[in-house]
Amino acid sequence: MKRYGVLILPSSNRVYSGAAVELTRAELEIFGGAVLGGRLGAVETTTVGGVPYVTFGVEGGLGERDVALLSNLSSAYAIFEFVDDLLRPVPLARLDRYDDDLVTIQKYPGKTNEQFTKLLLNVTLLASTWADELLTRRFRVLDPLCGRGTTVNQAMMYGFDAAGLDRDSKDFEAYQTFLTTWLKRKRVKHRVLESGPVRRERKVVGRRLRLEMAASKEAHKAGDVQTVDVVNADTTRIGEFFRPESVDLVVADAPYGVQHGSRTADRLARDPLALLAAAVPGWARLLRPGGALGISWNTNVARREAAAEHLTAAGLTVLDDGPWRTLSHRVDQAIVRDILVAQKPTP
């Protein structure tokens, strides 16, 4: 059995950096079970030269496809193979299609750490029926609480189709300005399909930005284009803007109920359970059978079991054993964040 070590990517967020080792262990175990055929040996933490590595063994060693999959670990800075007392670098082959400033350049209060966003997207995808197609499938990802688009941007980085919805008009405007400016500045081939108010029965029911883009001129000529579709409206009305069974993954970082609340259509609640009760049935209807939903929230204001009940009530199967239960971590004194992942059963 060959041994490998993951060097953790440095994070500007000191608290998240402290949690990254344990989160990477959990994420690696999920990768192992979902797409590596259970060939990973024990996942451990090993200090090498005073630096912590997440280490693991692999029967037969990592093949080219294995490396391509693990290259997308959310906190992987580098992967090494242990050869006697030496570390041999394993060349990474990330899915990333665009410069990383697409996910890092925006700075604003309340922004979700981009490493955590990638973790949340990864584990949700790995819970889907199509986990084995991570390297080849163009997933359609929806964030029903998208804010200023961190999840939407990470989905774009992977080459996926991305959609989002948020009721805050300032966030929508800020994201629209950022994305259109970024595309022009980077000279990314794109075309705006829709931009402006959405009217129904002569009433404005929301605003929408819908565009298509290609990672290169060659991709554009070949018809290899991604779609981005972001709506300014309340998440409980999501079915008015997206068709049932039209997305593969629903990924959401719920408001933490501390500095800001969890908005439902008619009130501002500090209990995110109110948001889940009102919104999860609509989110679940948008998922294709075999798709997965992943949500993070503050366990200090809502118990895991209570949150899981809302996903189960919407007809989803919660993954609640092994590494799926080891993704909880502290964000600050008032927030302990956890992740729940559930799959929509196939007929």
Side-chain angles (χ1 to χ4, degrees), residues 240-300:
E240 298 177 29
F241 302 95
F242 300 98
R243 291 181 293 104
E245 299 186 4
S246 63
V247 301
D248 299 316
L249 310 173
V250 173
V251 179
D253 184 28
Y256 300 142
V258 180
Q259 294 178 338
H260 49 0
S262 307
R263 286 188 179 272
T264 62
D266 57 354
R267 67 190 181 98
L268 179 65
R270 288 199 174 276
D271 180 4
L273 295 178
L275 172 68
L276 297 184
V280 166
W283 300 349
R285 281 191 291 272
L286 299 187
L287 274 176
R288 296 186 177 102
L293 181 151
I295 185 167
S296 58
W297 82 104
N298 180 13
T299 61
N300 285 341

Side-chain angles (χ1 to χ4, degrees), residues 5-184:
V6 178
L7 179 62
I8 302 300
L9 181 69
S11 173
S12 58
N13 185 312
R14 180 183 57 82
V15 177
Y16 190 81
S17 182
V21 170
E22 293 304 315
L23 289 174
T24 300
R25 289 181 58 168
E27 184 183 8
L28 186 56
E29 289 181 8
I30 291 170
F31 263 92
V35 295
L36 298 178
R39 293 185 294 119
L40 294 191
V43 179
E44 302 171 331
T45 303
T46 306
T47 300
V48 180
V51 178
Y53 285 73
V54 175
T55 58
F56 58 97
V58 182
E59 287 289 349
L62 291 175
E64 183 177 347
R65 179 178 177 274
D66 301 331
V67 172
L69 289 164
L70 294 183
S71 294
N72 300 294
L73 283 164
S74 61
S75 291
Y77 191 35
I79 297 177
F80 297 92
E81 180 184 354
F82 288 90
V83 182
D84 298 324
D85 293 331
L86 302 176
L87 295 177
R88 183 180 68 82
V90 177
L92 301 184
R94 294 186 173 93
L95 281 171
D96 296 356
R97 285 193 168 197
Y98 305 99
D99 293 340
D100 63 6
D101 60 357
L102 175 60
V103 294
T104 61
I105 196 171
Q106 291 190 94
K107 304 294 182 185
Y108 53 88
K111 180 187 178 184
T112 305
N113 179 293
E114 53 265 14
Q115 289 179 31
F116 175 75
T117 298
K118 189 174 181 179
L119 169 70
L120 179 57
L121 175 57
N122 281 349
V123 297
T124 305
L125 187 156
L126 292 169
S128 74
T129 299
W130 314 288
D132 267 340
E133 301 175 50
L134 168 59
L135 302 177
T136 57
R137 182 185 179 92
R138 174 166 289 150
F139 287 82
R140 190 172 190 222
V141 180
L142 170 68
D143 182 349
L145 302 167
C146 69
R148 298 192 189 183
T150 307
T151 300
V152 174
N153 291 343
Q154 180 57 58
M156 290 163 56
M157 285 286 287
Y158 273 175
F160 300 160
D161 291 332
L165 183 143
D166 200 277
R167 69 174 291 166
D168 190 308
S169 59
K170 291 183 179 179
D171 281 348
F172 174 82
E173 291 165 2
Y175 182 66
Q176 182 176 35
T177 299
F178 164 75
L179 182 59
T180 53
T181 301
W182 186 88
L183 290 169
K184 291 175 183 176

Side-chain angles (χ1 to χ4, degrees), residues 98 182-190 213-215:
Y98 305 99
W182 186 88
L183 290 169
K184 291 175 183 176
R185 183 169 58 85
K186 292 290 183 176
R187 298 183 179 180
V188 175
K189 188 73 174 177
H190 68 282
M213 56 191 287

